[in-house]
Amino acid sequence: METAKKRKPFGFYVCALGFTFERLAFYTVKYLLAIWIATEAASGGLGLSDSEGSFMSAQFVAFTYITPIFGGYIADHWLSPRLCVPLGMILMGIGYLFTWKANSLGMVWAMIILVSIGTGFFKGNLSGINGLLFHDQDELDEAFSIQYSFVNIGSFCGTTFIAITATTGLGPIHLTFNQVFLVCAIFLFIDAIWFLANSKALGDAGKKPFKADQRQFESAGKKEAGKSQKLTSGDWKRMFAIILVTLFSAVFWMAWYMAYMPAYYYFGWGDGADFLNKANWYIGSFQIPTAWFDSVNALTCIILGPVLAGVWAKMAKRPQGDMSMFKKTAIGIMLVGLAYIVMVIANFIAGDGQCSVFWIVLVCLLMSVGEMIFSPLGNSFISKLAPAKVMGLLLGFWPIAVFLAQQAYPPIYDWVSGLNFTAGYGGVGVVVIVIGIILWACSGKLDAMEKAE
């Protein structure tokens, strides 16, 4: 009886697998953009610089993380979230078709625009629908942690199996960059078919705009009784807590995404690109694809998803309750700062030669553990605290941290790349760790805003 009570509804897996297909395509393209743009034209790339590669990859990620705030507002007030989600999937698929035919940055920008608009309709709204399937607040953290594992299954499959077909090849399968972009488009169209074919499993969740859906009030644990209910002072304080956590998470994501650049261009290796190869990517005679740096992140998140879901569930039963979102965010920030310190150590060990690739694996593990401690809980945090009438808007606001991070890190990367490696990246690591310590120290006062009435 206990097991049946905790079983997830099939609709949960419909939504979670929807993220798997979409993230498979997204992370494949995210990785390949940075490599493809910096690869020589003779090898199938655009033959531009690593700075241009990092900039375009950043813009691709950035705009897909800001448009959900607009898509969330539309789903709050006007359109059914159940319509928004498949519309977003189809628009993203069409966007990747543009990159399939791309031979210039103009076509890449067209892809970025379409994928960003599609993500706006898709991202926060699919999480919102999934949240409506759970009436027990204690299940939300666990459900969203497991959903995050499905997200990273997509990422893992994309970078481990799909992306490398354009670089090292997967056995006899060796595709061009553009052909891989076509594969990504096909996965998005499959995603739309999957969601629409299984929509009955979602019941009534998301059929109406979030603002009009009375079940949303129950799911969010709110007692507002009508559409015209005004926001209270407690509501505003909780909204401020959401915004503050979002801004601190922007610091995390700025450091997190920038860490990929030295991993690719300084420690990594590339086919036809001018990388420094400061790490030895061989194990025996096998050369590890650089894309597998992303795969380590995804695999770690897949493993940690259910583990941390159980940890949060146990901590929630303590007399003092679970650790606060502010403290979890602080831990995540400090761990990604520590990853930079490890990179500095790896560079010192390499000297004029190369360090072991396992130092780079350690960098990725620290980044991944930091990510998993707080990032999957953002949607749950918002679902619990946000006033129901602005639920979709705030679910869309959470990803804005990544947009801010993507705008911040390319110029910082350019600046740090011109400095001595130890001074530049070590300095970034120390600053990030100090910010995490400050957030932890202030968490007591910030926690009070969550409980404001």
Side-chain angles (χ1 to χ4, degrees):
M1 204 59 186
E2 185 76 17
T3 305
K5 189 176 180 180
K6 293 184 178 180
R7 186 176 298 137
K8 302 286 182 295
F10 180 67
F12 166 80
Y13 297 102
V14 172
C15 295
L17 198 57
F19 278 112
T20 300
F21 286 121
E22 184 271 335
R23 292 287 93 178
L24 180 151
F26 177 85
Y27 278 100
T28 298
V29 174
K30 168 194 168 289
Y31 167 75
L32 285 183
L33 274 183
I35 304 299
W36 173 54
I37 290 170
T39 297
E40 296 172 358
S43 299
L46 293 185
L48 304 176
S49 69
D50 63 339
S51 292
E52 288 170 300
S54 67
F55 175 78
M56 291 303 293
S57 181
Q59 298 314 303
F60 169 65
V61 176
F63 285 100
T64 59
Y65 276 85
I66 194 172
T67 51
I69 196 170
F70 303 108
Y73 187 83
I74 289 170
D76 273 337
H77 295 273
W78 298 312
L79 277 184
S80 159
R82 292 265 285 270
L83 290 176
C84 290
V85 169
L87 173 61
M89 293 169 174
I90 292 168
L91 286 172
M92 286 185 280
I94 295 172
Y96 292 134
L97 289 179
F98 273 79
T99 321
W100 168 42
K101 292 296 185 181
N103 55 13
S104 68
L105 289 184
M107 295 286 277
V108 176
W109 276 115
M111 179 274 289
I112 290 174
I113 292 169
L114 281 168
V115 172
S116 298
I117 294 171
T119 305
F121 283 111
F122 167 87
K123 198 177 184 72
N125 295 328
L126 186 57
S127 289
I129 293 170
N130 215 1
L132 285 172
L133 299 175
F134 297 91
H135 303 290
D136 185 347
Q137 295 300 295
D138 292 337
E139 291 183 354
L140 275 177
D141 280 359
E142 179 189 11
F144 280 113
S145 289
I146 294 173
Q147 175 182 283
Y148 209 72
S149 287
F150 276 84
V151 166
N152 283 283
I153 288 171
S155 171
F156 177 79
C157 292
T159 55
T160 305
F161 305 114
I162 307 299
I164 66 169
T165 60
T167 52
T168 61
L170 183 63
I173 303 173
H174 199 138
L175 305 178
T176 66
F177 287 100
N178 298 85
Q179 287 169 341
V180 175
F181 297 141
L182 171 61
V183 171
C184 292
I186 293 171
F187 271 108
L188 262 300
F189 297 136
I190 292 173
D191 203 9
I193 293 169
W194 161 259
F195 184 82
L196 291 170
N198 293 283
S199 58
K200 286 185 179 179
L202 303 173
D204 293 328
K207 281 188 174 180
K208 301 176 183 178
F210 286 130
K211 183 179 177 183
D213 194 335
Q214 295 302 312
R215 290 180 61 203
Q216 182 70 52
F217 299 138
E218 297 173 9
S219 176
K222 304 294 185 295
K223 296 182 180 179
E224 293 94 336
K227 296 179 186 178
S228 61
Q229 181 75 32
K230 292 184 178 180
L231 296 175
T232 66
S233 61
D235 288 334
W236 284 106
K237 288 178 181 177
R238 289 191 292 273
M239 288 172 65
F240 181 72
I242 290 170
I243 293 169
L244 201 59
V245 167
T246 301
L247 294 177
F248 270 103
S249 71
V251 175
F252 171 88
W253 289 117
M254 183 279 295
W256 193 89
Y257 277 100
M258 193 171 80
Y260 276 84
M261 296 304 106
Y264 290 165
Y265 298 129
Y266 188 81
F267 291 104
W269 65 271
D271 182 10
D274 185 20
F275 296 172
L276 291 180
N277 301 305
K278 290 290 287 184
N280 178 9
W281 289 76
Y282 280 91
I283 298 179
S285 59
F286 176 69
Q287 190 173 31
I288 303 171
T290 310
W292 285 10
F293 180 82
D294 299 54
S295 301
V296 171
N297 167 253
L299 184 61
T300 304
C301 292
I302 292 166
I303 295 170
L304 286 182
V307 172
L308 288 177
V311 171
W312 306 143
K314 285 187 177 180
M315 291 185 72
K317 295 177 182 178
R318 301 182 307 171
Q320 67 270 39
D322 194 3
M323 184 187 300
S324 78
M325 188 65 175
F326 291 102
K327 286 185 176 178
K328 289 174 181 175
T329 305
I331 293 173
I333 290 172
M334 287 186 277
L335 284 174
V336 77
L338 184 59
Y340 277 78
I341 304 303
V342 171
M343 277 196 283
V344 171
I345 295 171
N347 183 61
F348 177 78
I349 290 172
D352 295 329
Q354 294 179 322
C355 66
S356 168
V357 72
F358 290 106
W359 283 100
I360 311 306
V361 171
L362 179 57
V363 169
C364 194
L365 287 174
L366 288 167
M367 293 165 57
S368 304
V369 174
E371 173 189 356
M372 281 302 296
I373 285 176
F374 84 94
S375 184
L377 306 182
N379 288 321
S380 176
F381 180 71
I382 293 169
S383 295
K384 291 176 180 178
L385 294 188
K389 67 196 309 181
V390 290
M391 174 71 69
L393 180 66
L394 288 173
L395 282 168
F397 183 76
W398 173 246
I400 204 172
V402 178
F403 173 82
L404 297 174
Q406 295 297 325
Q407 299 308 312
Y409 93 74
I412 295 175
Y413 168 68
D414 280 344
W415 176 69
V416 170
S417 296
L419 302 176
N420 172 271
F421 191 93
T422 299
Y425 288 97
V428 170
V430 169
V431 169
V432 170
I433 290 171
V434 169
I435 290 172
I437 292 171
I438 291 171
L439 178 57
W440 179 281
C442 297
S443 62
K445 293 181 179 179
L446 298 175
D447 291 342
M449 289 188 294
E450 293 183 39
K451 303 180 178 70
E453 296 294 336

